[in-house]
Amino acid sequence: MQHRIALASDHAAFAMKAELADWLRGLGHDVLDLGTNGPESVDYPDYGYRLGKSIETGEATFGIALCGSGIGISIAVNRNPAARCALVSEPLSAGLAREHNDANVIALGARMIGIEMAKACIIQFLETAFLGDRHVRRVEKLRNPERSPA
C-alpha cells in the first residue's frame, strides 16, 4: 500500500532524511520533505512542529521525524494532539507502536542507528496495522487528554 509520508529532520539527520526520502519514493510512496536540507544548525522543534501539523491537516498520513537522537524531535511532534510519535530504534518497537498505540509518526536517531536499521524500522511501521480492540480506548485518551481522569 502506498502512503503520503512526511519527513522532517534537523541538521544532524538531514543526510539520513535525504536517503530515506529517495528510498521511499523508489518504493512508490508520495514523500513530503519538510526540511531541513543542509548541515547548517537549525532548531529541531521547528521541524517537529511542521511534521505534527502535516499530520493534523491530513497533508500526510504518516510521518518520519529525525534528529541526532530522535528524542528532541519526537517531543516536538507530540506537542500536536493529532500526532502520536514513537521513538524507535528497532523493528519490534516500530511494529508495537502501530499495533498498540496507532502511532502515525516514528522518530529515529540518526546518530544512534544506521540507515539499514532505519529502513527496517520504517518497513515494519508501514506494514503493521493498528489492532484496535482494547487499544482503542487508550488511543482515544491520547487524542483527548482532557477526557482522561486525573
Side-chain angles (χ1 to χ4, degrees), residues 107-120:
L108 302 165
R111 293 178 176 154
M112 312 303 281
I113 64 172
I115 191 68
E116 294 308 316
M117 182 58 73
K119 290 176 181 178

Side-chain angles (χ1 to χ4, degrees), residues 114-128:
I115 191 68
E116 294 308 316
M117 182 58 73
K119 290 176 181 178
C121 290
I122 292 166
I123 289 168
Q124 188 67 43
F125 177 74
L126 295 175
E127 292 182 352
T128 303

Side-chain angles (χ1 to χ4, degrees), residues 41-70:
S41 182
V42 296
D43 296 332
Y44 60 79
D46 298 337
Y47 297 90
Y49 297 151
R50 285 183 192 174
L51 182 48
K53 189 68 165 175
S54 74
I55 296 295
E56 178 185 19
T57 63
E59 190 175 14
T61 307
F62 291 112
I64 300 167
L66 304 146
C67 69
S69 68

Side-chain angles (χ1 to χ4, degrees), residues 17-141:
K17 178 185 61 70
E19 188 168 343
L20 291 173
D22 288 344
W23 172 71
L24 287 164
R25 286 184 188 106
L27 294 176
H29 297 288
D30 186 10
V31 174
L32 174 64
D33 187 336
L34 301 174
T36 192
N37 296 307
E40 299 78 23
S41 182
V42 296
D43 296 332
Y44 60 79
D46 298 337
Y47 297 90
Y49 297 151
R50 285 183 192 174
L51 182 48
K53 189 68 165 175
S54 74
I55 296 295
E56 178 185 19
T57 63
E59 190 175 14
T61 307
F62 291 112
I64 300 167
L66 304 146
C67 69
S69 68
I71 297 167
I73 201 163
S74 69
I75 294 169
V77 171
N78 279 322
R79 302 292 288 180
N80 188 313
R84 289 174 306 285
C85 180
L87 173 60
V88 304
S89 58
E90 37 61 45
L92 178 60
S93 57
L96 289 171
R98 286 286 306 131
E99 284 183 349
H100 293 192
N101 309 113
D102 198 18
N104 48 19
V105 180
I106 57 170
L108 302 165
R111 293 178 176 154
M112 312 303 281
I113 64 172
I115 191 68
E116 294 308 316
M117 182 58 73
K119 290 176 181 178
C121 290
I122 292 166
I123 289 168
Q124 188 67 43
F125 177 74
L126 295 175
E127 292 182 352
T128 303
F130 177 50
L131 289 177
D133 194 37
R134 72 182 190 275
H135 304 289
V136 171
R137 96 172 167 274
R138 297 168 186 152
V139 171
E140 283 304 312
K141 288 181 179 184

